[in-house]
Amino acid sequence: MSPAKPPSDIAPESALSILSADQRRHYRDHGWISVEGLVDTRWLDRLRAVTDEFVEMSRELTASNALFDLEANHRAADPRLRRLSSPADLHDTYWELAARSVITDVAVELLGPDVKFHHSKLNFKAPRGGEEVKWHQDIQFWPHTNYDLLTIGVFLDEVEAGMGEVGFVPGSHAGPLYDLYDGDRWVGALADSDLAAADVERAIYPTGPAGTITVHHCRTVHGPAPNRSSRARPLLLQTYAAVDAFAYTDLVRRSPHGEELVRGKPARWARHDPRPCLMPPTGPYRPIFAAQQREDEPPRDRA
Ligand SMILES: O=C(O)CCC(=O)C(=O)O
């Protein structure tokens, strides 16, 4: 017999819980939460040191590649990165944060007890104009048999209003999935005509000191804002899945830690949510920024 879905009631918190029952309820009802200063200074120092090394490496590049997604005005003297792709596959420090830290505990408290890592990315949002990410939902980029996936963002530096903080539309995880195609073309963003229906005006934009985390559900509508400040806004994002959510695409199957179990036991049964999911086009991987800015064809992305 196939296992039943775990009850969605909020379990009482234990002495070891990272999140309070109220925070877990907020995530369930609103599809996002933020927790100020959760990641400690020791972690932040390690993460920043490794990140500085990757920024140094990017100086010699003149074009984006599989690891580094560069802004058009990236220069050796003034490195402007949009994204470092799959950091958890590139350095043990990022992987340790994803797999064995307070962040993993948060993923387990919201999805658990059995949880897989899916993928990670580090979005830099460079100062003075660092590129916006348009309104979107994540799951259409990497559809699964159900919707028990979430992404945890860690602020590597303080984020104040105007620094390109991400906005989340409360309750949108329980609403429709939007079409991220424009006609036949995958654009990875909601159509302008859907923005009113998605009520993006109601979005909440969490700010906070370095170490603050945001957690958003894979159906939550979230997006944009360019960085107008004079500081970069490095946001380290890691995505997790309940073990019985199985991917329909092979996006991370070749990445070293893609779909690796981080807590509990693997699943033998896939759990299927009856709600349909939009599929991204097949083809080579292309970063979200390129898709949304229509920098090139062909189409495919991991959000
Ligand atoms: O970095 C950001 O501002 C947004 C990130 C995001 O929504 C994404 O990469 O899916």
Side-chain angles (χ1 to χ4, degrees), residues 83 121 123 125 133 136 138 164 166 216 222 233 235 237 288 303:
R83 173 178 287 180
K121 56 211 171 194
N123 287 351
K125 236 174 221 183
V133 175
H136 66 282
D138 290 336
V166 183
H216 66 275
H222 61 287
R233 189 235 52 186
L235 177 66
L237 296 146
I288 189 171

Side-chain angles (χ1 to χ4, degrees), residues 59-107:
R59 286 184 193 272
E60 65 189 36
L61 299 175
T62 52
S64 299
N65 61 28
L67 303 185
F68 295 93
D69 189 328
L70 308 177
E71 289 193 4
N73 52 354
H74 172 85
R75 300 282 176 271
D78 179 21
R80 290 182 68 92
L81 278 73
R82 293 193 293 203
R83 173 178 287 180
L84 178 66
S85 297
S86 304
D89 289 331
L90 300 178
H91 199 288
D92 284 347
T93 300
Y94 294 125
W95 172 242
E96 199 184 317
L97 179 87
R100 291 186 296 279
S101 78
V102 67
I103 295 302
T104 333
D105 295 336
V106 169

Side-chain angles (χ1 to χ4, degrees), residues 195-255:
L195 294 180
D199 224 355
V200 297
E201 298 295 321
R202 289 192 307 113
I204 314 279
Y205 295 80
T207 54
T212 295
I213 66 157
T214 59
V215 186
H216 66 275
H217 189 279
C218 66
R219 295 178 65 109
T220 298
V221 175
H222 61 287
N227 182 0
R228 298 200 171 81
S229 77
S230 56
R231 289 194 289 123
R233 189 235 52 186
L235 177 66
L236 179 60
L237 296 146
Q238 26 280 304
T239 296
Y240 300 90
V243 282
D244 57 4
F246 285 88
Y248 287 122
T249 63
D250 63 357
L251 190 57
V252 299
R253 239 160 246 158
R254 278 177 296 279
S255 58

Side-chain angles (χ1 to χ4, degrees), residues 11 13 43 58 61 66 89 94 102 127 142 166 210 229 247 262 269 277 286 294 297:
E13 59 210 65
W43 259 119
S58 80
L61 299 175
D89 289 331
Y94 294 125
V102 67
W142 19 265
V166 183
S229 77
V262 291
W269 295 81
C277 192
R286 187 164 62 117
R294 301 182 172 193
E297 305 299 336

